[in-house]
């Protein structure tokens, strides 16, 4: 699904800087605010080390998300060129060459990994899961009914897990389903 923030308003983006801005989609970074939720809900928002860790994880996630957008736009090049709106995206319109978009994806991934590694190994691992699942999504999962929806939903859960890893808290046990007594076996002994 696309919105007008993904494409130029009058055809191809008018400048190189605008093309790159559209390609990396910083307007979509708002989704990455989920990374900060564990900081806010853990009671650690007054701790400077936790704030710095969460901020670094947020930046890492933004870089990783932008890398995924670059990668996906190259994979979807043919389909995007045939689409009435997506054809104006930088790679599809030819204002950014596919090889440059892939190089940007690699560079952004490395930068993201650097920021995540600066936080801790768990943050880096969850960020790796996010990138890996996005590659699977771009290559295969988005073409399979229901798996595409599950993958998209999992991206939001992974954002929370990255934030939890960054501030070194565990997701709440209250959010995990617990067996109900009415579903337990009531057989007589």
């Amino acid at each position: 699904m696309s919105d007008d923030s993904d494409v130029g308003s009058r055809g191809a983006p008018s400048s190189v800087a605008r093309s790159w801005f559209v390609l990396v989609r910083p307007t979509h970074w708002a989704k990455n605010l989920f990374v900060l939720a564990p900081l806010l809900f853990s009671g650690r928002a007054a701790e400077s080390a936790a704030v710095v860790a969460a901020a670094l994880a947020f930046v890492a996630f933004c870089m990783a998300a932008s890398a995924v957008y670059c990668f996906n736009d190259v994979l979807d090049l043919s389909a995007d060129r045939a689409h009435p709106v997506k054809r104006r995206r930088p790679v599809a319109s030819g204002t950014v060459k596919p090889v440059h978009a892939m190089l940007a994806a690699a560079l952004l991934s490395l930068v993201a990994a650097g920021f995540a590694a600066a936080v801790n190994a768990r943050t880096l691992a969850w960020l790796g899961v996010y990138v890996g699942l996005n590659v699977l999504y771009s290559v295969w999962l988005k073409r399979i009914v229901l798996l595409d929806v599950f993958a998209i939903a999992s991206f939001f859960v992974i954002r929370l897990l990255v934030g939890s890893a960054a501030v070194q808290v565990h997701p709440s046990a209250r959010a995990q389903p617990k067996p109900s007594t009415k579903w337990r076996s009531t057989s007589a002994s």
Side-chain angles (χ1 to χ4, degrees):
M1 185 159 69
S2 174
D3 59 28
D4 290 338
S5 66
D6 289 349
V7 295
S9 58
R10 292 189 181 110
S14 60
S15 70
V16 173
R18 172 144 172 77
S19 294
W20 283 98
F21 180 85
V22 171
L23 179 63
V24 300
R25 296 181 183 72
T27 56
H28 291 231
W29 290 351
K31 294 180 262 191
N32 300 332
L33 290 172
F34 277 83
V35 170
L36 303 177
L39 172 70
L40 300 174
F41 294 112
S42 68
R44 298 199 59 210
E47 299 174 28
S48 60
V51 171
V52 169
L56 289 171
F58 174 78
V59 171
F61 218 95
C62 290
M63 298 300 104
S66 289
V68 167
Y69 286 126
C70 292
F71 175 78
N72 188 63
D73 281 5
V74 172
L75 288 185
D76 288 349
L77 179 60
S78 296
D80 285 357
R81 282 185 175 158
H83 192 276
V85 176
K86 292 179 182 181
R87 70 176 182 219
R88 294 182 285 179
R89 287 182 174 173
V91 176
S93 70
T95 58
V96 173
K97 293 180 181 179
V99 67
H100 293 156
M102 290 302 270
L103 288 171
L107 179 63
L108 287 164
S109 294
L110 288 173
V111 170
F115 275 104
V119 177
N120 60 43
R122 277 185 40 219
T123 301
L124 177 60
W126 279 117
L127 191 74
V129 169
Y130 172 80
V131 171
L133 186 56
N134 261 288
V135 168
L136 279 174
Y137 176 81
S138 294
V139 171
W140 180 56
L141 294 175
K142 69 180 173 183
R143 292 170 183 80
I144 301 173
V145 176
L146 287 180
L147 285 183
D148 62 336
V149 176
F150 293 147
I152 291 169
S154 71
F155 298 147
F156 286 93
V157 174
I158 293 170
R159 285 174 172 92
L160 293 170
L161 294 170
V162 165
S164 294
V167 298
Q168 299 179 4
V169 297
H170 294 286
S172 173
R174 287 175 276 173
Q176 297 173 3
K178 294 183 181 182
S180 171
T181 55
K182 65 181 172 184
W183 294 104
R184 292 184 187 161
S185 174
T186 57
S187 61
S189 339

